[in-house]
Each structure stands twice: as structure tokens, then as C-alpha cells.
Coordinates of all heavy atoms in Angstrom, one line a residue:
M1 N 2.2 -10.1 4.2 CA 0.9 -9.6 4.6 C 1.1 -8.9 5.9 O 1.9 -9.4 6.8 CB -0.1 -10.8 4.8 CG -1.4 -10.3 5.2 SD -2.6 -11.7 5.3 CE -2.8 -12.1 3.6
F2 N 0.5 -7.8 6.1 CA 0.7 -6.9 7.3 C -0.6 -6.5 7.8 O -1.5 -6.2 7.1 CB 1.5 -5.7 6.9 CG 2.9 -5.9 6.4 CD1 3.1 -6.1 5.0 CD2 4.0 -6.1 7.2 CE1 4.3 -6.3 4.5 CE2 5.2 -6.4 6.7 CZ 5.4 -6.5 5.4
D3 N -0.7 -6.5 9.2 CA -1.8 -5.9 9.9 C -1.4 -4.4 10.1 O -0.6 -4.1 11.0 CB -2.1 -6.6 11.2 CG -3.2 -6.0 12.0 OD1 -4.0 -5.2 11.4 OD2 -3.2 -6.2 13.2
L4 N -1.9 -3.5 9.3 CA -1.5 -2.1 9.3 C -2.4 -1.3 10.2 O -3.6 -1.3 10.1 CB -1.6 -1.6 7.8 CG -0.9 -0.3 7.5 CD1 0.6 -0.5 7.6 CD2 -1.3 0.1 6.0
R5 N -1.7 -0.7 11.2 CA -2.5 0.2 12.1 C -1.7 1.5 12.2 O -0.6 1.6 12.6 CB -2.5 -0.4 13.5 CG -3.3 -1.7 13.6 CD -3.1 -2.4 14.9 NE -3.7 -3.7 14.9 CZ -4.8 -4.0 15.5 NH1 -5.4 -3.1 16.3 NH2 -5.4 -5.2 15.4
L6 N -2.4 2.6 11.6 CA -1.7 3.9 11.5 C -2.4 4.9 12.3 O -3.6 5.1 12.3 CB -1.8 4.3 10.0 CG -1.1 3.4 9.0 CD1 -1.4 4.0 7.6 CD2 0.3 3.3 9.2
A7 N -1.6 5.6 13.1 CA -2.2 6.8 13.8 C -2.4 7.9 12.8 O -1.8 7.8 11.7 CB -1.2 7.3 14.9
E8 N -3.2 8.9 13.1 CA -3.4 10.0 12.2 C -2.1 10.6 11.7 O -1.2 10.8 12.6 CB -4.3 11.0 12.8 CG -4.7 12.1 11.9 CD -5.8 13.0 12.5 OE1 -6.5 12.6 13.4 OE2 -5.9 14.2 12.0
G9 N -1.9 10.8 10.4 CA -0.7 11.4 9.9 C -0.3 10.7 8.6 O -1.0 9.8 8.1
T10 N 0.8 11.2 8.0 CA 1.3 10.7 6.7 C 2.5 9.9 7.0 O 3.4 10.3 7.7 CB 1.5 11.9 5.8 OG1 0.3 12.6 5.6 CG2 2.0 11.4 4.4
Y11 N 2.6 8.8 6.3 CA 3.8 7.9 6.4 C 4.3 7.7 5.0 O 3.6 7.2 4.1 CB 3.4 6.5 7.0 CG 2.8 6.7 8.4 CD1 1.4 7.0 8.5 CD2 3.6 6.7 9.5 CE1 0.9 7.2 9.8 CE2 3.0 6.9 10.8 CZ 1.7 7.2 10.9 OH 1.1 7.4 12.1
E12 N 5.6 8.0 4.7 CA 6.2 7.9 3.4 C 6.9 6.5 3.3 O 7.4 6.0 4.2 CB 7.2 9.0 3.2 CG 6.7 10.4 3.2 CD 5.8 10.7 2.0 OE1 6.0 10.2 1.0 OE2 4.9 11.6 2.2
S13 N 6.8 6.0 2.0 CA 7.5 4.7 1.7 C 8.4 4.9 0.5 O 8.0 5.5 -0.5 CB 6.5 3.6 1.5 OG 7.2 2.4 1.2
D14 N 9.6 4.4 0.6 CA 10.5 4.5 -0.6 C 10.0 3.5 -1.6 O 9.1 2.6 -1.3 CB 11.9 4.0 -0.2 CG 12.6 5.1 0.7 OD1 12.3 6.3 0.6 OD2 13.4 4.7 1.6
L15 N 10.5 3.6 -2.8 CA 10.1 2.7 -3.9 C 10.6 1.3 -3.6 O 11.6 1.1 -2.9 CB 10.6 3.2 -5.2 CG 12.1 3.4 -5.4 CD1 12.7 2.2 -6.2 CD2 12.4 4.7 -6.0
H16 N 9.9 0.3 -4.1 CA 10.3 -1.1 -3.9 C 10.8 -1.5 -5.3 O 10.8 -0.7 -6.3 CB 9.1 -1.9 -3.5 CG 8.5 -1.5 -2.2 ND1 9.2 -1.4 -1.0 CD2 7.2 -1.1 -1.9 CE1 8.4 -1.0 -0.1 NE2 7.2 -0.8 -0.6
G17 N 11.1 -2.8 -5.5 CA 11.7 -3.2 -6.7 C 10.6 -3.2 -7.9 O 9.4 -3.1 -7.6
E18 N 11.1 -3.4 -9.1 CA 10.3 -3.4 -10.3 C 9.2 -4.5 -10.2 O 9.6 -5.6 -9.8 CB 11.1 -3.6 -11.5 CG 10.4 -3.5 -12.8 CD 11.3 -3.7 -14.0 OE1 12.5 -3.6 -13.9 OE2 10.7 -3.9 -15.1
G19 N 8.0 -4.1 -10.5 CA 6.9 -5.1 -10.5 C 6.3 -5.4 -9.2 O 5.4 -6.2 -9.1
V20 N 6.7 -4.8 -8.1 CA 6.1 -5.0 -6.8 C 4.7 -4.3 -6.7 O 4.6 -3.1 -7.1 CB 7.0 -4.5 -5.6 CG1 6.3 -4.6 -4.3 CG2 8.3 -5.2 -5.6
L21 N 3.7 -5.0 -6.2 CA 2.4 -4.5 -6.1 C 2.0 -4.5 -4.6 O 2.4 -5.3 -3.9 CB 1.4 -5.4 -6.9 CG 1.6 -5.5 -8.4 CD1 0.6 -6.6 -8.9 CD2 1.5 -4.2 -9.1
E22 N 1.2 -3.5 -4.3 CA 0.6 -3.4 -2.9 C -0.9 -3.4 -3.0 O -1.5 -2.7 -3.9 CB 1.1 -2.2 -2.2 CG 2.6 -2.3 -1.8 CD 3.0 -1.3 -0.8 OE1 2.2 -0.6 -0.1 OE2 4.3 -1.1 -0.6
H23 N -1.6 -4.2 -2.2 CA -3.0 -4.3 -2.1 C -3.4 -4.0 -0.7 O -2.8 -4.6 0.2 CB -3.5 -5.7 -2.5 CG -3.0 -6.1 -3.9 ND1 -3.5 -5.5 -5.0 CD2 -2.2 -7.0 -4.3 CE1 -2.9 -6.1 -6.1 NE2 -2.1 -7.0 -5.6
L24 N -4.5 -3.2 -0.5 CA -4.9 -2.8 0.8 C -6.4 -3.0 0.9 O -7.2 -2.7 0.0 CB -4.7 -1.4 1.2 CG -3.2 -1.0 1.4 CD1 -2.8 -0.1 0.3 CD2 -3.2 -0.3 2.7
I25 N -6.9 -3.5 2.1 CA -8.3 -3.5 2.4 C -8.4 -2.8 3.7 O -7.8 -3.1 4.7 CB -8.8 -5.0 2.6 CG1 -8.7 -5.7 1.2 CG2 -10.3 -5.0 3.0 CD1 -9.0 -7.2 1.3
V26 N -9.3 -1.8 3.7 CA -9.4 -0.9 4.9 C -10.5 -1.5 5.8 O -11.6 -1.9 5.3 CB -9.8 0.5 4.6 CG1 -10.0 1.3 5.8 CG2 -8.6 1.1 3.8
H27 N -10.2 -1.7 7.1 CA -11.2 -2.2 8.1 C -11.8 -1.1 8.9 O -13.0 -1.2 9.2 CB -10.5 -3.2 9.0 CG -9.8 -4.3 8.2 ND1 -10.5 -5.3 7.5 CD2 -8.5 -4.6 8.1 CE1 -9.6 -6.1 6.9 NE2 -8.4 -5.7 7.3
E28 N -11.0 -0.1 9.3 CA -11.5 1.0 10.2 C -10.8 2.2 9.8 O -9.6 2.2 9.4 CB -11.2 0.7 11.7 CG -12.0 -0.4 12.3 CD -11.6 -0.6 13.7 OE1 -11.0 0.3 14.4 OE2 -12.0 -1.7 14.3
G29 N -11.5 3.4 9.8 CA -10.9 4.6 9.5 C -10.9 5.0 8.0 O -11.6 4.3 7.2
E30 N -10.2 6.0 7.7 CA -10.1 6.5 6.3 C -8.7 6.8 6.0 O -7.9 7.2 6.9 CB -10.9 7.7 6.1 CG -12.4 7.5 6.2 CD -13.2 8.8 5.9 OE1 -12.9 9.5 4.9 OE2 -14.1 9.1 6.7
M31 N -8.3 6.6 4.8 CA -6.9 6.9 4.4 C -6.8 7.3 2.9 O -7.6 7.0 2.1 CB -6.0 5.7 4.7 CG -6.3 4.4 3.8 SD -5.4 2.9 4.4 CE -3.7 3.5 4.6
L32 N -5.7 8.0 2.7 CA -5.2 8.3 1.3 C -4.0 7.4 1.1 O -3.1 7.4 2.0 CB -4.9 9.8 1.1 CG -6.0 10.8 1.2 CD1 -5.5 12.2 1.2 CD2 -7.0 10.5 0.1
V33 N -3.9 6.7 0.0 CA -2.8 5.8 -0.2 C -2.4 5.7 -1.7 O -3.3 5.9 -2.6 CB -3.2 4.4 0.3 CG1 -4.3 3.8 -0.4 CG2 -2.0 3.5 0.3
G34 N -1.1 5.5 -1.9 CA -0.7 5.3 -3.3 C 0.5 6.2 -3.7 O 1.0 6.9 -2.8
P35 N 0.9 6.1 -4.9 CA 1.9 7.0 -5.4 C 1.5 8.4 -5.3 O 0.3 8.7 -5.3 CB 2.0 6.6 -6.9 CG 1.5 5.2 -7.0 CD 0.4 5.1 -6.0
H36 N 2.4 9.3 -5.1 CA 2.1 10.7 -4.7 C 1.2 11.4 -5.7 O 0.4 12.2 -5.3 CB 3.4 11.5 -4.6 CG 4.3 11.0 -3.4 ND1 5.6 11.1 -3.4 CD2 3.9 10.3 -2.3 CE1 6.1 10.6 -2.3 NE2 5.1 10.1 -1.6
D37 N 1.3 11.1 -7.0 CA 0.5 11.7 -8.0 C -0.8 11.0 -8.3 O -1.6 11.4 -9.1 CB 1.3 11.9 -9.3 CG 1.7 10.6 -9.9 OD1 1.8 9.6 -9.2 OD2 2.1 10.7 -11.1
K38 N -1.1 9.8 -7.6 CA -2.3 9.0 -7.9 C -2.9 8.4 -6.6 O -3.4 7.3 -6.6 CB -1.9 7.8 -8.8 CG -1.4 8.3 -10.2 CD -1.1 7.1 -11.0 CE -0.5 7.5 -12.3 NZ 0.0 6.4 -13.1
R39 N -2.8 9.2 -5.5 CA -3.4 8.6 -4.3 C -4.9 8.5 -4.3 O -5.6 9.3 -5.0 CB -3.0 9.5 -3.1 CG -1.5 9.5 -2.9 CD -1.0 10.1 -1.6 NE -1.7 11.4 -1.2 CZ -1.8 11.8 0.0 NH1 -1.2 11.2 1.0 NH2 -2.4 13.0 0.3
V40 N -5.4 7.5 -3.7 CA -6.9 7.3 -3.6 C -7.4 7.3 -2.2 O -6.6 7.0 -1.3 CB -7.2 5.9 -4.3 CG1 -6.9 5.9 -5.8 CG2 -6.6 4.8 -3.6
H41 N -8.6 7.7 -2.0 CA -9.3 7.8 -0.7 C -10.0 6.5 -0.5 O -10.9 6.1 -1.2 CB -10.2 9.0 -0.8 CG -10.9 9.3 0.6 ND1 -11.9 10.2 0.7 CD2 -10.6 8.8 1.8 CE1 -12.2 10.2 2.0 NE2 -11.5 9.4 2.7
L42 N -9.6 5.8 0.6 CA -10.2 4.5 1.0 C -10.9 4.6 2.3 O -10.4 5.2 3.3 CB -9.2 3.4 1.0 CG -8.4 3.2 -0.2 CD1 -7.3 2.1 0.0 CD2 -9.3 2.8 -1.4
R43 N -12.1 4.0 2.4 CA -12.9 3.9 3.6 C -13.1 2.4 4.0 O -12.8 1.5 3.2 CB -14.3 4.6 3.4 CG -14.2 6.0 3.1 CD -15.6 6.6 2.8 NE -15.5 8.1 2.6 CZ -15.4 8.7 1.5 NH1 -15.2 8.0 0.4 NH2 -15.3 10.0 1.4
P44 N -13.7 2.1 5.2 CA -13.9 0.7 5.6 C -14.6 -0.1 4.5 O -15.6 0.4 3.9 CB -14.8 0.8 6.8 CG -14.4 2.2 7.4 CD -14.2 3.1 6.2
G45 N -14.0 -1.2 4.1 CA -14.6 -2.1 3.1 C -14.0 -1.8 1.7 O -14.1 -2.7 0.8
D46 N -13.3 -0.7 1.6 CA -12.7 -0.4 0.3 C -11.4 -1.2 0.0 O -10.6 -1.5 1.0 CB -12.4 1.1 0.1 CG -13.6 1.9 0.0 OD1 -14.7 1.4 -0.3 OD2 -13.4 3.2 0.1
F47 N -11.1 -1.5 -1.2 CA -9.9 -2.1 -1.7 C -9.1 -1.2 -2.6 O -9.7 -0.5 -3.4 CB -10.2 -3.4 -2.4 CG -9.1 -4.1 -3.1 CD1 -8.2 -4.9 -2.4 CD2 -8.8 -3.8 -4.4 CE1 -7.2 -5.5 -3.0 CE2 -7.7 -4.5 -5.1 CZ -6.9 -5.3 -4.3
G48 N -7.8 -1.1 -2.4 CA -6.9 -0.3 -3.2 C -5.7 -1.1 -3.7 O -5.3 -2.0 -2.9
S49 N -5.2 -0.8 -4.8 CA -4.1 -1.5 -5.4 C -3.2 -0.6 -6.2 O -3.8 0.3 -6.9 CB -4.6 -2.7 -6.2 OG -3.5 -3.4 -6.8
F50 N -1.9 -0.7 -6.1 CA -1.0 0.2 -6.9 C 0.4 -0.5 -7.0 O 0.7 -1.4 -6.2 CB -0.9 1.5 -6.2 CG -0.4 1.6 -4.8 CD1 1.0 1.7 -4.6 CD2 -1.2 1.4 -3.7 CE1 1.4 1.7 -3.3 CE2 -0.8 1.5 -2.4 CZ 0.6 1.6 -2.2
T51 N 1.1 -0.1 -8.0 CA 2.5 -0.5 -8.2 C 3.3 0.3 -7.2 O 3.1 1.5 -7.0 CB 3.0 -0.3 -9.6 OG1 2.9 1.1 -9.9 CG2 2.2 -1.1 -10.6
A52 N 4.2 -0.4 -6.5 CA 5.0 0.2 -5.5 C 6.5 0.4 -5.9 O 7.3 0.5 -5.0 CB 4.9 -0.6 -4.2
D53 N 6.7 0.5 -7.2 CA 8.1 0.8 -7.7 C 8.4 2.3 -7.9 O 9.2 2.6 -8.6 CB 8.3 0.0 -9.0 CG 7.3 0.3 -10.1 OD1 6.4 1.1 -9.9 OD2 7.4 -0.3 -11.1
C54 N 7.6 3.1 -7.1 CA 7.8 4.5 -7.1 C 7.5 5.0 -5.7 O 6.9 4.3 -4.9 CB 6.9 5.2 -8.1 SG 5.2 5.0 -7.8
P55 N 8.0 6.1 -5.2 CA 7.7 6.6 -3.9 C 6.2 6.7 -3.7 O 5.4 7.1 -4.6 CB 8.3 8.0 -3.8 CG 9.4 8.0 -4.9 CD 8.9 7.1 -6.0
H56 N 5.7 6.3 -2.5 CA 4.3 6.3 -2.2 C 4.1 6.6 -0.7 O 5.0 6.5 0.0 CB 3.6 4.9 -2.6 CG 4.3 3.7 -2.1 ND1 5.5 3.2 -2.6 CD2 4.0 2.9 -1.1 CE1 5.9 2.2 -2.0 NE2 5.0 1.9 -1.0
S57 N 2.8 6.8 -0.4 CA 2.5 7.2 1.0 C 1.2 6.6 1.5 O 0.4 6.2 0.7 CB 2.6 8.7 1.2 OG 1.5 9.3 0.5
Y58 N 1.1 6.6 2.8 CA -0.2 6.2 3.5 C -0.5 7.3 4.4 O 0.3 7.7 5.2 CB 0.1 4.9 4.3 CG 0.8 3.8 3.6 CD1 2.1 3.7 3.6 CD2 0.0 2.8 2.9 CE1 2.8 2.7 2.9 CE2 0.7 1.8 2.2 CZ 2.1 1.8 2.2 OH 2.7 0.8 1.6
E59 N -1.7 7.9 4.3 CA -2.1 9.0 5.2 C -3.4 8.6 5.9 O -4.4 8.4 5.2 CB -2.3 10.2 4.4 CG -2.7 11.4 5.3 CD -2.9 12.7 4.5 OE1 -2.6 12.8 3.3 OE2 -3.4 13.7 5.2
S60 N -3.3 8.4 7.2 CA -4.5 8.1 8.0 C -5.2 9.4 8.3 O -4.6 10.4 8.8 CB -4.0 7.4 9.3 OG -5.1 7.2 10.1
L61 N -6.5 9.4 8.0 CA -7.3 10.6 8.2 C -8.2 10.5 9.4 O -8.7 9.4 9.6 CB -8.2 10.9 6.9 CG -7.5 10.9 5.6 CD1 -8.5 10.9 4.5 CD2 -6.6 12.1 5.5
H62 N -8.4 11.5 10.2 CA -9.4 11.5 11.3 C -9.1 10.4 12.3 O -10.0 9.7 12.7 CB -10.8 11.3 10.8 CG -11.1 12.1 9.5 ND1 -11.0 13.5 9.4 CD2 -11.4 11.7 8.3 CE1 -11.3 13.9 8.2 NE2 -11.5 12.8 7.5
G63 N -7.9 10.2 12.8 CA -7.6 9.2 13.8 C -7.0 7.9 13.2 O -6.5 7.9 12.1
E64 N -7.0 6.9 14.0 CA -6.4 5.6 13.6 C -7.1 5.0 12.4 O -8.3 5.0 12.3 CB -6.4 4.6 14.8 CG -5.6 3.3 14.4 CD -5.6 2.3 15.6 OE1 -6.6 1.7 15.8 OE2 -4.5 2.2 16.2
T65 N -6.3 4.3 11.6 CA -6.8 3.5 10.5 C -6.2 2.1 10.6 O -5.1 2.0 10.9 CB -6.4 4.1 9.1 OG1 -7.0 5.5 9.0 CG2 -6.9 3.3 7.9
R66 N -7.1 1.1 10.4 CA -6.7 -0.3 10.4 C -6.9 -0.8 9.0 O -8.0 -0.7 8.4 CB -7.4 -1.1 11.4 CG -7.0 -0.8 12.8 CD -7.6 -1.7 13.8 NE -7.4 -3.1 13.5 CZ -8.3 -4.0 13.2 NH1 -9.6 -3.7 13.3 NH2 -8.0 -5.2 13.0
A67 N -5.9 -1.6 8.5 CA -6.1 -2.2 7.1 C -5.2 -3.4 7.1 O -4.3 -3.6 7.8 CB -5.6 -1.1 6.1
T68 N -5.5 -4.2 6.1 CA -4.6 -5.3 5.7 C -3.9 -4.9 4.5 O -4.5 -4.5 3.5 CB -5.4 -6.6 5.5 OG1 -6.1 -7.0 6.7 CG2 -4.5 -7.8 5.1
L69 N -2.5 -5.0 4.6 CA -1.6 -4.7 3.4 C -1.0 -6.0 3.0 O -0.4 -6.7 3.8 CB -0.6 -3.7 3.9 CG 0.6 -3.4 2.9 CD1 0.0 -2.8 1.6 CD2 1.6 -2.6 3.6
V70 N -1.1 -6.3 1.7 CA -0.5 -7.4 1.1 C 0.5 -6.9 0.0 O 0.1 -6.2 -0.9 CB -1.5 -8.4 0.4 CG1 -0.8 -9.6 -0.2 CG2 -2.5 -8.9 1.5
V71 N 1.8 -7.3 0.1 CA 2.8 -6.9 -0.8 C 3.2 -8.1 -1.7 O 3.5 -9.1 -1.1 CB 4.0 -6.3 -0.1 CG1 5.1 -5.9 -1.1 CG2 3.6 -5.2 0.9
F72 N 3.0 -7.9 -3.0 CA 3.3 -9.0 -3.9 C 4.7 -8.7 -4.6 O 4.8 -7.6 -5.2 CB 2.3 -9.2 -5.0 CG 1.0 -9.8 -4.5 CD1 -0.1 -9.0 -4.1 CD2 0.9 -11.2 -4.4 CE1 -1.2 -9.6 -3.6 CE2 -0.3 -11.8 -3.9 CZ -1.3 -11.0 -3.5
Y73 N 5.6 -9.6 -4.5 CA 6.9 -9.5 -5.2 C 6.9 -10.5 -6.4 O 6.5 -11.6 -6.2 CB 8.0 -9.9 -4.2 CG 8.2 -8.9 -3.1 CD1 7.5 -9.1 -1.9 CD2 9.0 -7.8 -3.3 CE1 7.6 -8.1 -0.9 CE2 9.2 -6.9 -2.2 CZ 8.4 -7.1 -1.1 OH 8.6 -6.1 0.0
P74 N 7.3 -10.0 -7.6 CA 7.2 -10.9 -8.7 C 8.2 -12.1 -8.6 O 9.3 -11.9 -8.0 CB 7.6 -10.0 -9.9 CG 8.3 -8.9 -9.3 CD 7.8 -8.7 -7.9
A75 N 7.8 -13.2 -9.1 CA 8.7 -14.4 -9.0 C 9.9 -14.2 -10.0 O 9.7 -13.6 -11.1 CB 8.0 -15.6 -9.4
R76 N 11.1 -14.6 -9.6 CA 12.2 -14.5 -10.5 C 12.5 -15.9 -11.0 O 12.7 -16.8 -10.3 CB 13.4 -14.0 -9.7 CG 13.3 -12.7 -9.0 CD 13.3 -11.6 -10.1 NE 13.2 -10.3 -9.4 CZ 12.5 -9.3 -9.8 NH1 11.8 -9.4 -10.9 NH2 12.5 -8.1 -9.2
L77 N 12.4 -16.0 -12.4 CA 12.7 -17.3 -13.0 C 14.2 -17.5 -13.2 O 14.9 -16.5 -13.5 CB 11.9 -17.4 -14.3 CG 10.4 -17.3 -14.2 CD1 9.8 -17.3 -15.6 CD2 9.8 -18.4 -13.4
P78 N 14.7 -18.7 -13.1 CA 16.1 -18.9 -13.3 C 16.5 -18.7 -14.7 O 15.7 -18.9 -15.6 CB 16.3 -20.3 -12.9 CG 15.0 -21.0 -12.9 CD 14.0 -19.9 -12.7
D79 N 17.7 -18.2 -15.0 CA 18.2 -18.0 -16.3 C 18.6 -19.4 -16.9 O 19.4 -20.1 -16.3 CB 19.4 -17.1 -16.3 CG 19.9 -16.7 -17.7 OD1 19.3 -17.1 -18.7 OD2 20.9 -16.0 -17.7
R80 N 17.9 -19.8 -18.0 CA 18.1 -21.1 -18.5 C 19.0 -21.1 -19.8 O 18.8 -22.0 -20.6 CB 16.8 -21.8 -18.8 CG 16.0 -21.9 -17.5 CD 14.8 -22.7 -17.6 NE 14.2 -22.7 -16.3 CZ 13.4 -23.7 -15.9 NH1 13.1 -24.7 -16.7 NH2 12.9 -23.6 -14.7
R81 N 19.9 -20.2 -19.9 CA 20.7 -20.2 -21.1 C 21.8 -21.2 -21.0 O 22.3 -21.6 -20.0 CB 21.4 -18.8 -21.2 CG 20.4 -17.8 -21.7 CD 21.1 -16.5 -22.0 NE 20.6 -15.5 -21.0 CZ 21.2 -14.4 -20.8 NH1 22.2 -14.0 -21.5 NH2 20.7 -13.6 -19.9

């Protein structure tokens, strides 16, 4: 879980492992977030979610944006063979 505080601008993120999900709740400001071909516009109170196993970005619009970012990594079960 991260307290995300972004100055105006675009921030690129590399892909994460297979099955990784990111969830955001915006508290202040506006942002575009998600995979490059599926970014969504979020405002205060909005929730966004996307798979993070592809390149994605966070773009803070009109000044600073504050959000909570939760990254979920899938559990790996032991091989029981």
C-alpha cells in the first residue's frame, strides 16, 4: 500500500509480474492512470483498477494529485507433486 503524491506530469511504470493488480483511490487532484491503451480519468473519490502486467503510467493533471495505491501480488502455491 502506498501514499501516492504526484506532481503534475507523467510517470511511467514497467510491467510487473503476471497477475499483479493495482487499485487506486484518488483523494485530491485528477489523474489519468492505467495501461497505455486503456488509461482512465480519475477525480477525487474515484476508484480505478487494472492489471499491471503490461507497461502503464500515472499522469497527474492540473497540479499535485494524492491517491492511495494498493498493489496485489498473486499468492504462489507450493508445488505438491
Side-chain angles (χ1 to χ4, degrees):
M1 182 178 289
F2 300 91
D3 178 19
L4 197 63
R5 294 170 187 254
L6 301 175
E8 187 171 334
T10 302
Y11 304 86
E12 298 291 332
S13 181
D14 292 329
L15 59 106
H16 303 302
E18 183 178 347
V20 175
L21 301 174
E22 292 195 11
H23 303 292
L24 289 110
I25 298 172
V26 176
H27 305 292
E28 292 179 15
E30 295 182 45
M31 66 189 312
L32 293 173
V33 64
H36 296 154
D37 61 342
K38 297 179 184 174
R39 295 192 317 160
V40 295
H41 186 188
L42 301 176
R43 295 179 176 90
D46 288 346
F47 171 83
S49 180
F50 59 91
T51 57
D53 57 2
C54 59
H56 52 283
S57 63
Y58 311 88
E59 182 178 353
S60 179
L61 307 171
H62 321 298
E64 184 180 75
T65 298
R66 289 188 53 241
T68 298
L69 170 65
V70 179
V71 182
F72 286 96
Y73 294 89
R76 302 287 184 223
L77 299 176
D79 186 2
R80 298 191 181 205
R81 288 189 248 169

